Amino acid sequence: MSVFNIASLESILQRDHAAAGLDPLIRLVGLPERVPIAELGSDEGTDISPWMMDVACSMENDFVQLVHELRAVAEGVGSEESLGAPISVVYDAFLWWTLDVVVSLKLNYYTFFPSAASVLSILLHMPLLISQGYVPLRLSAEPRLITLPGLAPTWDRELLYFLRDSEPKAIVQRIIDSALKLTETQTILVNTCYELEPYAIDALQKYENVHIKKSDVRALGPVLPLELLNDNYVVDILYQQGDNRKQEEKECLKWLDSQSPASVLFVCFGSIFTPSFENIIELALGLEASSHAFIWVLRSPPGVTSRDKGFSISMLLPEGFESRTKDRSFIISPPAPQLSILSHPSTGGFLTHCGWNSTLESVSMGVPLIAYPQFADQKMNCRIIVDQWKVGIQLQNDENERLRKEDVEKVVRNLMEGEEGKRMKGKVRQLRDITRRCCREGGSSYTNLQVLVQELFKLSASFTHEADNRVNMEISFLAAE
Ligand SMILES: O=c1ccn([C@@H]2O[C@H](COP(=O)(O)OP(=O)(O)O[C@H]3O[C@H](CO)[C@@H](O)[C@H](O)[C@H]3O)[C@@H](O)[C@H]2O)c(=O)[nH]1
């Protein structure tokens, strides 16, 4: 769950249904905000994981109440005001409590897994990893290589980074709980496509895997706006119906229009991570030294608040940096229009924290990456980008967790002008075409999505008495990302 997503969900909820581009059969329902964003404190860079955990926990009662209300409306007033009682729930795997709730309410369900199939494989092997002493990951112990079906042997530090014993105990426990719940589920819908992760999906789906209970794992991603399947720059995909972009975003896209093809590096670290103040300085100096054009989505680091009187983003940057780079840079506050930027012909590279959505978006638009993973599943995603797909170069901090400007300059030059970058550009374009084919009619993800829709139709038909058998479902979005 991110502050951006809440904001955009709110704006969609407030907008006219048709203007939001939603099918009339889809209705968005918001749950009350029980843990206000304001409680995060005034530092923008505050670690929001505990807050996210509180939000996730706080949703359970409201969700149960929502199901009861929808049922009451369906039984009472009739079909004029209702699309019918809920029959099936698609829920985010990280909302671990949902499984028990939907089972107790006798609802059909599908579990949606928002990260890579490789990460799903790790979580489904949780009982094995616990019994063999790999989880929680003890940082003080000697590094060990782990081999799991469908995954290349990987150091425990990268495979299980999100389960380090240095993380708050409650958070590690929640991840373990979510993983154990996952092993009880029937159908898992994964935000990936078969062709991007065939080995991981085969190991989960096709082969005899003695370590895990067989779930029905279906890859139906990347879950992206359909417009991305066309080759066109999707400047206004999310805001087609209105003029909702903030001025800064419009200027950013206009600036991008004025740049040469594939010449701009996009620097953005998702909705949670912000580098430290010291690393922002090194990043800035490295970008400057590279001589390449860039768009940088810059937010305040931990301990610095932009709400202070007199604060300006310039205070985060080296002296004179903005004037020295003004002809080839655009600094924007989050959220930036990432999809539009990545699909713009002027964008030639993406420096990312390797969040799975950013990874899929970059690949779907044929943009090679500089991988700078930080936490959660990002180290695993980095291995997929760099070792498996070979569409990115890794950027690493030194042993003291300091980023070095020389390293930044080197990776940017390698990606934007070197032979390595050229090879990656070619490779990522192949992956883009493969990914888009998966999502088009007849493609693997399209087919899996079609099967899901057919199943929902069937379920609906067996529950509804309406003569026309129209789809009778209410979709509740429970987003944990
Ligand atoms: O300025 C911004 C920044 C982000 N985004 C969008 O926000 C999403 C970011 O998602 P992701 O790249 O997955 O990063 P996080 O928000 O950090 O996602 C969390 O959830 C992911 C999915 O489970 C994990 O892979 C990550 O590690 C975890 O940090 C993407 O759709 C971006 O297009 C914008 O539109 N504008």
Side-chain angles (χ1 to χ4, degrees):
M1 181 181 299
S2 76
V3 175
F4 309 148
N5 290 349
I6 291 169
S8 40
L9 181 60
E10 269 174 4
S11 73
I12 291 173
L13 286 172
Q14 281 160 12
R15 256 189 277 161
D16 172 54
H17 210 84
L22 291 177
D23 186 288
L25 286 171
I26 295 177
R27 191 194 301 168
L28 287 173
V29 186
L31 296 180
E33 187 182 295
R34 300 276 176 216
V35 188
I37 295 168
E39 282 182 18
L40 278 174
S42 56
D43 280 353
E44 287 179 7
T46 308
D47 176 8
I48 66 169
S49 325
W51 173 77
M52 284 167 66
M53 206 57 81
D54 288 348
V55 172
C57 291
S58 73
M59 291 165 76
E60 181 172 348
N61 288 339
D62 291 317
F63 174 66
V64 173
Q65 199 183 331
L66 175 69
V67 174
H68 287 311
E69 277 168 14
L70 292 171
R71 280 178 170 171
V73 173
E75 280 162 20
V77 209
S79 56
E80 282 299 299
E81 298 187 21
S82 154
L83 290 173
I87 294 166
S88 193
V89 172
V90 181
Y91 74 92
D92 189 307
F94 290 105
L95 292 174
W96 65 93
W97 46 262
T98 319
L99 179 61
D100 291 336
V101 168
V102 292
V103 169
S104 75
L105 291 171
K106 299 194 170 37
L107 285 164
N108 177 63
Y109 69 88
Y110 295 88
T111 310
F112 178 74
F113 192 74
S115 295
S118 312
V119 177
L120 174 63
S121 174
I122 301 169
L123 294 185
L124 289 178
H125 283 93
M126 191 59 70
L128 179 80
L129 293 166
I130 293 174
S131 72
Q132 296 189 346
Y134 287 112
V135 171
L137 170 68
R138 283 183 302 124
L139 284 176
S140 56
E142 276 294 299
R144 288 195 284 177
L145 268 177
I146 307 183
T147 307
L148 290 177
L151 302 184
T154 311
W155 291 107
D156 55 0
R157 272 135 184 76
E158 302 214 308
L159 200 68
L160 303 170
Y161 189 81
F162 48 103
L163 291 163
R164 292 169 303 165
D165 57 2
S166 57
E167 289 287 316
K169 267 202 175 69
I171 292 183
V172 173
Q173 194 52 49
R174 276 293 171 229
I175 298 173
I176 294 174
D177 290 348
S178 303
L180 295 175
K181 274 282 162 230
L182 258 176
T183 64
E184 295 173 26
T185 56
Q186 297 152 4
T187 307
I188 306 178
L189 313 171
V190 196
N191 187 18
T192 190
C193 66
Y194 177 79
E195 285 75 357
L196 285 179
E197 296 185 273
Y199 305 111
I201 295 171
D202 278 347
L204 290 170
Q205 211 175 41
K206 291 191 180 155
Y207 305 135
E208 276 312 309
N209 185 344
V210 290
H211 300 301
I212 56 173
K213 196 196 107 198
K214 226 173 172 58
S215 304
D216 177 12
V217 174
R218 305 181 195 169
L220 44 67
V223 181
L224 286 173
L226 284 176
E227 287 82 350
L228 289 179
L229 300 178
N230 303 321
D231 287 333
N232 305 328
Y233 162 45
V234 285
V235 63
D236 258 334
I237 45 173
L238 300 179
Y239 302 91
Q240 289 167 26
Q241 312 291 334
D243 193 22
N244 288 340
R245 277 191 194 284
K246 52 183 191 194
Q247 188 57 27
E248 201 186 11
E249 292 183 45
K250 287 182 191 156
E251 280 166 18
C252 174
L253 296 173
K254 210 166 146 205
W255 178 84
L256 206 47
D257 285 342
S258 69
Q259 302 299 307
S260 328
S263 66
V264 176
L265 178 75
F266 177 49
V267 184
C268 181
F269 302 122
S271 50
I272 305 171
F273 169 63
T274 310
S276 66
F277 181 65
E278 293 77 11
N279 285 349
I280 287 180
I281 300 281
E282 291 294 307
L283 182 53
L285 294 173
L287 289 171
E288 182 181 350
S290 78
S291 305
H292 283 279
F294 58 91
I295 292 176
W296 186 357
V297 186
L298 184 57
R299 79 162 81 81
S300 303
V304 179
T305 170
S306 61
R307 293 184 194 98
D308 277 353
K309 251 195 165 163
F311 174 87
S312 96
I313 209 80
S314 310
M315 292 174 177
L316 301 173
L317 296 164
E319 219 183 315
F321 170 81
E322 284 168 290
S323 61
R324 291 194 301 274
T325 58
K326 71 174 186 322
D327 294 336
R328 60 178 170 94
S329 71
F330 196 101
I331 295 178
I332 181 169
S333 57
Q338 177 161 313
L339 288 172
S340 299
I341 293 171
L342 285 174
S343 65
H344 195 290
S346 299
T347 304
F350 182 18
L351 169 45
T352 171
H353 69 313
C354 305
W356 188 239
N357 295 298
S358 295
T359 304
L360 290 177
E361 288 164 15
S362 202
V363 164
S364 305
M365 286 172 247
V367 178
L369 307 106
I370 295 173
Y372 184 47
Q374 301 301 319
F375 51 77
D377 53 351
Q378 296 154 19
K379 303 233 169 193
M380 267 303 292
N381 300 340
C382 172
R383 295 276 61 81
I384 297 174
I385 293 167
V386 176
D387 301 340
Q388 288 183 29
W389 298 340
K390 302 189 187 345
V391 296
I393 307 173
Q394 184 167 2
L395 171 65
Q396 275 175 304
N397 289 341
D398 67 13
E399 56 289 353
N400 300 316
E401 285 308 310
R402 286 291 298 267
L403 188 59
R404 286 157 33 103
K405 57 179 187 293
E406 298 79 11
D407 293 336
V408 176
E409 179 189 354
K410 194 168 140 202
V411 292
V412 174
R413 284 187 183 277
N414 280 352
L415 189 84
M416 302 297 285
E417 62 194 62
E419 280 308 308
E420 208 181 353
K422 267 193 206 132
R423 272 199 306 279
M424 284 171 183
K425 226 164 267 172
K427 197 92 191 68
V428 78
R429 290 203 177 134
Q430 284 171 7
L431 274 194
R432 173 196 64 189
D433 296 345
I434 290 171
T435 308
R436 289 180 178 188
R437 272 202 297 278
C438 288
C439 299
R440 292 203 182 108
E441 195 165 354
S444 59
S445 288
Y446 185 97
T447 306
N448 281 337
L449 196 57
Q450 209 172 26
V451 169
L452 174 69
V453 171
Q454 280 161 1
E455 286 174 4
L456 290 171
F457 262 100
K458 256 194 208 149
L459 264 172
S460 162
S462 63
F463 273 77
T464 183
H465 299 299
E466 288 183 20
D468 60 358
N469 271 358
R470 71 192 175 102
V471 187
N472 191 8
M473 61 185 173
E474 188 83 39
I475 299 177
S476 297
F477 288 105
L478 296 179
E481 294 311 307

